[in-house]
Amino acid sequence: YSSVSVFFRDFNRNNYHFSFNRVLFNTTFIVLGTLFIISLNQAIFLVVAIPFLIIYFFIQRFYVQTSRQLKRLESVSRSPIFNHFAETIAGVSTIRAYRVGERFIRDSDKRIDQNQRCFYPCHVANCWLQVRLEFMANCLVFFSAIFAALSKNWENKLSGADTGLSLSYALNVSLALNFCVRMFADLENNVVSVERISEYANVEPEANWKTDEDKKLSPKWPEEGAIEFDGVFSTQEMRV
């Protein structure tokens, strides 16, 4: 049951999450196009945009390295929960007959607690990423507004339409950048399921049930049998 559940969950995750690759590529091109349009109106915006893109990249790499390991631990600790639950359902009559239901409840709670130790840090890591992405996005909007206000004293003064266009695109690019970073991070995190499927697929298969040596045996084999004890010693303890 555990292997079947792992395969079903991993294949479902691959089919669902990896289908968003087209959306991810479209969003990436939208970000690049938006930065190009803002840079046409405010060339100085590139002085801020390029370092921010580098910071976005390092935030993503730091988050992925941590989140990927947490995701792997959470996936590994989740399988025993379903495995224990299936075994409990299958043997519920025996468990009730021996009156050991409380022990099975404690074992299930212990497995759930072990899983929560990995599940909770995953959500904490998501919150950590969300706070930093929102801060960076607000900084991009802030610098775009500052450059638009300072352009009044420059030779190439921006008109009201150009200023509104830059600010509106800055708001859009902040959301698109957040979406790209999160999608790239989720894509790398979900590669864990691919690794696990590959691990199961590369397991060395067991030997065949019947081999060529079996054909050499007589149809009546075994015709006779014997048990031989070699070097066996036995003693009997006398108790009063």
Side-chain angles (χ1 to χ4, degrees), residues 210-217:
K210 293 183 179 181
T211 61
D212 295 335
E213 297 294 332
D214 297 336
K215 298 179 181 180
K216 300 178 182 179
L217 299 176

Side-chain angles (χ1 to χ4, degrees), residues 235-240:
T235 58
Q236 183 177 2
E237 181 179 359
M238 301 299 294
R239 295 185 179 181
V240 180

Side-chain angles (χ1 to χ4, degrees), residues 31-170:
V31 170
L32 296 178
T34 304
L35 292 177
F36 177 75
I37 291 175
I38 297 176
S39 302
L40 286 179
N41 292 329
Q42 302 176 0
I44 196 173
F45 183 77
L46 290 175
V47 178
V48 177
I50 294 176
F52 268 65
L53 291 177
I54 297 175
I55 295 174
Y56 267 102
F57 174 76
F58 281 107
I59 289 176
Q60 176 196 350
R61 299 307 304 169
F62 183 81
Y63 167 77
V64 167
Q65 291 177 1
T66 304
S67 180
R68 184 170 52 210
Q69 298 300 328
L70 292 175
K71 200 77 172 180
R72 182 179 288 111
L73 293 174
E74 195 271 333
S75 299
V76 171
S77 62
R78 186 174 58 240
S79 296
I81 297 176
F82 296 102
N83 191 18
H84 181 267
F85 180 76
E87 293 175 354
T88 304
I89 295 299
V92 64
S93 57
T94 305
I95 294 172
R96 290 180 177 177
Y98 284 93
R99 298 179 180 178
V100 290
E102 293 294 333
R103 179 168 64 85
F104 275 79
I105 292 175
R106 289 195 301 269
D107 292 342
S108 179
D109 292 341
K110 186 184 298 183
R111 287 173 169 80
I112 293 175
D113 292 340
Q114 186 69 25
N115 176 256
Q116 290 299 314
R117 293 178 182 176
C118 304
F119 182 78
Y120 179 73
C122 286
H123 283 272
V124 173
N126 287 330
C127 293
W128 180 90
L129 178 65
Q130 186 65 30
V131 169
R132 280 148 183 81
L133 291 182
E134 290 295 333
F135 175 76
M136 297 290 292
N138 292 329
C139 288
L140 283 177
V141 177
F142 172 76
F143 281 109
S144 178
I146 288 295
F147 293 149
L150 294 177
S151 65
K152 295 181 179 180
N153 301 324
W154 298 343
E155 295 181 358
N156 297 327
K157 182 180 178 181
L158 293 178
S159 63
D162 293 335
T163 302
L165 179 65
S166 300
L167 290 177
S168 62
Y169 269 85

